Amino acid sequence: MAKGLVWFRTDLRLDDNPALNAALREYEAVLAIYVFSQHQWEVHNESNIKHEFLINNLILLKDSLERLGIPLTAINTESFKTLPKDLSSFCTDQKIDHVFWNNEFGLNEANRDAASIETLNNISIKSSSFNDQVIYEPGFLKTAQGKPFSVFTPFKRRWIENFDTNFLDIAKPSKLKESYSTQGDLSNLKFAKTHSANIDLWPAGESAAEEKLKNFLQLKAQSYSASRNSPIIDGTSRISPYLALGILSPKRCILEGLKLNNFEFTSGNRGICKWIDEIVWREFYRNIMHSFPKVSKNRPFQDYTNSIKWRHSNEELDAFYNGKTGFPIVDAGIRQMLKEGWMHNRLRMVVAMFFTKNMLHDWRLGEKFFMQHLIDGDFSSNNGGWQWSSSTGTDSAPYFRIFNPISQSQNFDSEGEFIKKFIPELKDVPAAQIHQPKDDFFSSTNYPEPILDLKESRLRAIQAFKDAREVSSV
Ligand SMILES: Cc1cc2nc3c(=O)[nH]c(=O)nc-3n(C[C@H](O)[C@H](O)[C@H](O)COP(=O)(O)OP(=O)(O)OC[C@H]3O[C@@H](n4cnc5c(N)ncnc54)[C@H](O)[C@@H]3O)c2cc1C
C-alpha cells in the first residue's frame, strides 16, 4: 500500500491543516512525524516553557491523529543540517512514498526544507509543501513598483484589496478508511524543566485553543479597541502561544472574527477590525522576514543604525533581566513574563523601548531575552517588535519619540493594579505615587532605586541616533 507521511512542524493541529488534508486525500495509509532538535531549539533561543508547551501539545495531537488512524512518531536529530538525512532514514524504514508539510518561512527553516526536498528526491520520495501560516505567500503582495512592502498600512490595504472570502474555505480532515496498524511513539522526546513560569495558564490542545478563541470573540472582541492597552484588563485573546506552535490557524481566527462582523475588514465593529489588523501585522512581519533576509542575520532593517554605539553595563542588564530596574511598570512587565511566559503587548513596547533607548542597550540582547522566556516566542513577530521599539526596523517608531515609562504607567495602569499584582513589594504604595520611582512612599519597601535618570538617558539616546546618522552619511 502506498504511504504518505505528514511532517508536523509549527502546525500541531487537525483543523485547517492543508498538508494533512492533502496526504489524506492522496493516500490510504498515512503516518505522521515530528522531528526535534535540542541544539536547534537552543540556537534559536526558544524558551523552556515553550518546549514544555510543545510536548504537552504533541501528546494531545498524537491522540487526535490516532483517532484518524494516523500514528505520530517523534524522532530527534542533531540540527537542521542532519535533519534531511534522519528524515530520509525514517522514510526508507517505513517505506514512505510521499512527504507532506506546511511551510515555515524562517531562513534556516527554508534552507532545511530545500535540503530535505533534495535528499528525499535522491531516494525517489516525493515531497509537497503548503501554506498555512499566512493568507498570501510571503513576497506575493507587492507595491505598485513591484517591490516588497516595508510599511504596514499600504501592505494591509493591498492585503484587503486582494482578499477573496474563498481563501477562508477550511477543510476538515477525514478519517482513514483503514487504520494503520503501527502505534505512534513519542518516547524520544526528553524534557528537563528549567523554568518557573506557570504552565497551567496555557492548557494544551486544539480544543483549549478553540475555547480561548471563542471566549475572546464572544466576550471581549467588541471592546478590544478600548481594552487592549490596559494590562490589568484581560482584554486581549492570549492566543499567541497557540498561533506560535500552530495549534490554531490564523485563517481560522480571521474567519471566526469576520463572521461576527459581516465579513467587513474596515467597517462594523471597531474592536473586531482592530483585532484582525493584529493578525495581519503578524503576516506583515513574516513578509519582512522573507523579503529582507538581513533581519534573520542579526542585522537591523535600517542600515544606518549599524553605527549606533550601544552601551553595555552588566549591572544594568542584571537589573533588567530580573525586573529590578526601579521603574515599576517596566519591572512589572518583565516579572509578568518570568511568571506567565507571556507579556502584555503594551508592556512589550514599553519594556523594549526602555531597554533600547533609556538603557541604550543593543536590541539584539533584548530580543534574545524575550525569546528565551516567552511561551509565544516567534522569530518574525519578536524581531519586528524589537526593531520597531528600537527604531532600527521597518515602519518603526521614530527614534526621537521615546515612550516615557512613567506616563505610560499613568495612562495604562492608572490605579497601579497591574504593578501591585506583579510587584508585591509595592502593594501599600498609593495609586498616585506608584508610577514614580523613588517616591518617598517607596522608602519603607525593599524595591530597588532607579538604575537611570529618565531625562538624561532620553537625550543620550537621541544623540546616539543622530551620531549614527551622521557617521553613515559621510
Ligand atoms: C518587543 C515585542 C516583542 C514581541 N514578541 C512577540 C513574539 O515573540 N511572539 C508573538 O506572537 N508576538 C510578539 N509580539 C507581538 C504582540 O505583543 C503579541 O503577539 C501579543 O501581545 C500576544 O497577545 P494576544 O494573543 O493576546 O494578542 P491579541 O491582541 O489578541 O492579538 C491577536 C494576535 O495577533 C498577533 N499580534 C498581535 N499584536 C501583534 C504585533 N504587534 N505584531 C505581530 N503580531 C501581533 C498575535 O499573533 C496575537 O496572538 C511582540 C511585540 C513586541 C512589541
Side-chain angles (χ1 to χ4, degrees):
M1 195 188 326
K3 283 186 208 162
L5 175 72
V6 184
W7 174 13
F8 280 91
R9 300 110 69 92
T10 39
D11 51 356
L12 307 182
R13 61 177 187 276
L14 306 191
D15 183 53
D16 184 29
N17 189 324
L20 173 65
N21 284 326
L24 285 169
R25 259 194 322 269
E26 289 184 41
Y27 289 87
E28 280 177 37
V30 176
L31 284 76
I33 191 169
Y34 186 85
V35 189
F36 185 73
S37 161
Q38 181 69 39
H39 168 76
Q40 206 66 49
W41 195 261
E42 285 163 17
V43 168
H44 286 172
N45 296 309
E46 302 262 21
S47 71
N48 190 254
I49 187 173
K50 189 174 168 190
H51 189 180
E52 184 170 15
F53 190 54
L54 166 75
I55 291 184
N56 293 348
N57 278 288
L58 281 171
I59 292 168
L60 295 182
L61 178 67
K62 178 173 176 287
D63 290 348
S64 313
L65 285 169
E66 255 158 34
R67 285 195 285 276
L68 294 183
I70 303 170
L72 170 67
T73 298
I75 64 167
N76 288 297
T77 193
E78 178 54 35
S79 67
F80 280 177
K81 284 225 166 70
T82 54
L83 187 147
K85 193 175 105 320
D86 290 334
L87 177 66
S88 307
S89 302
F90 179 87
C91 290
T92 312
D93 287 350
Q94 299 290 334
K95 300 189 174 53
I96 299 293
D97 297 276
H98 195 159
V99 186
F100 297 78
W101 64 76
N102 294 310
N103 284 322
E104 292 182 308
F105 302 109
L107 196 59
N108 294 336
E109 286 77 3
N111 290 339
R112 171 204 64 193
D113 289 355
S116 300
I117 292 171
E118 196 181 329
T119 312
L120 291 169
N121 197 27
N122 287 342
I123 51 172
S124 304
I125 297 178
K126 288 199 275 182
S127 54
S128 300
S129 62
F130 302 82
N131 279 334
D132 72 319
Q133 294 198 2
V134 282
I135 297 293
Y136 306 97
E137 199 167 333
F140 174 79
L141 297 179
K142 296 232 167 22
T143 64
Q145 293 72 35
K147 298 215 165 100
F149 283 100
S150 56
V151 179
F152 177 72
T153 307
F155 170 82
K156 198 197 139 196
R157 206 176 303 124
R158 183 61 49 81
W159 192 97
I160 293 175
E161 274 164 17
N162 279 263
F163 194 81
D164 183 327
T165 43
N166 288 331
F167 295 165
L168 296 176
D169 280 349
I170 294 183
K172 284 273 174 208
S174 52
K175 194 173 183 314
L176 282 173
K177 282 181 213 85
E178 280 178 52
S179 284
Y180 194 74
S181 53
T182 320
Q183 288 289 302
D185 181 8
L186 297 183
S187 62
N188 281 321
L189 290 174
K190 300 279 176 275
F191 170 72
K193 190 169 180 130
T194 58
H195 70 86
S196 53
N198 184 4
I199 189 76
D200 295 342
L201 292 172
W202 308 105
E206 279 191 81
S207 36
E210 280 159 20
E211 191 58 37
K212 261 200 196 289
L213 177 65
K214 201 168 114 198
N215 182 284
F216 171 76
L217 288 172
Q218 282 180 357
L219 306 176
K220 302 173 187 170
Q222 310 262 346
S223 50
Y224 178 74
S225 293
S227 58
R228 63 190 284 266
N229 277 312
S230 303
I232 194 65
I233 301 178
D234 189 17
T236 69
S237 65
R238 288 189 176 233
I239 57 161
S240 49
Y242 301 88
L243 282 169
L245 284 180
I247 294 138
L248 189 62
S249 87
K251 213 190 238 188
R252 169 64 67 197
C253 296
I254 294 171
L255 175 63
E256 300 305 323
L258 284 178
K259 276 188 199 164
L260 288 181
N261 200 38
N262 287 325
F263 284 82
E264 290 293 341
F265 282 113
T266 51
S267 55
N269 183 267
R270 276 183 61 206
I272 295 176
C273 294
K274 185 76 201 127
W275 185 73
I276 293 176
D277 263 13
E278 299 302 328
I279 312 265
V280 182
W281 265 103
R282 180 177 180 272
E283 184 158 331
F284 172 68
Y285 281 139
R286 274 171 166 60
N287 273 263
I288 296 293
M289 174 173 74
H290 172 85
S291 304
F292 303 93
K294 63 182 174 184
V295 303
S296 299
K297 296 176 182 167
N298 248 335
R299 300 218 299 270
F301 184 86
Q302 305 277 357
D303 292 332
Y304 89 91
T305 62
N306 270 315
S307 307
I308 291 175
K309 291 203 169 53
W310 302 108
R311 297 173 59 247
H312 192 102
S313 153
N314 285 334
E315 221 172 289
E316 285 181 30
L317 283 174
D318 199 46
F320 179 85
Y321 292 152
N322 289 294
K324 293 190 171 168
T325 66
F327 288 87
I329 196 70
V330 172
D331 294 340
I334 293 169
R335 293 190 201 184
Q336 178 179 40
M337 180 169 72
L338 300 178
K339 227 171 163 180
E340 298 190 352
W342 184 91
M343 196 195 298
H344 188 277
N345 179 59
R346 168 62 42 185
L347 300 183
R348 294 190 203 208
M349 294 190 288
V350 170
V351 164
M353 214 176 265
F354 180 83
F355 185 83
T356 54
K357 303 289 175 49
N358 298 100
M359 285 171 61
L360 197 60
H361 276 61
D362 193 325
W363 56 273
R364 284 159 280 223
L365 292 176
E367 180 195 15
K368 179 174 169 188
F369 174 62
F370 267 32
M371 275 308 282
Q372 287 175 335
H373 291 91
L374 285 172
I375 191 172
D376 66 10
D378 172 89
F379 174 80
S380 57
S381 298
N382 192 43
N383 182 274
W386 274 91
Q387 294 222 41
W388 182 90
S389 309
S390 61
S391 308
T392 61
T394 165
D395 204 1
S396 282
Y399 71 80
F400 45 83
R401 205 168 295 153
I402 300 177
F403 283 3
N404 178 323
I406 296 171
S407 35
Q408 290 285 318
S409 187
Q410 286 161 339
N411 289 342
F412 299 114
D413 187 29
S414 56
E415 297 303 308
E417 292 167 272
F418 184 82
I419 292 176
K420 290 184 185 190
K421 181 170 175 195
F422 288 96
I423 313 185
E425 301 97 289
L426 301 182
K427 69 177 184 346
D428 297 325
V429 176
Q433 276 78 29
I434 201 157
H435 313 283
Q436 189 73 40
K438 217 181 160 184
D439 196 283
D440 282 350
F441 285 94
F442 285 52
S443 55
S444 59
T445 73
N446 58 357
Y447 185 67
E449 293 276 305
I451 58 169
L452 49 81
D453 179 89
L454 276 187
K455 232 187 204 165
E456 277 170 21
S457 61
R458 180 177 174 277
L459 294 174
R460 178 176 66 189
I462 293 175
Q463 194 56 48
F465 275 80
K466 273 191 186 153
D467 292 347
R469 277 224 153 135
E470 271 168 32
V471 171
S472 60
S473 65
V474 177

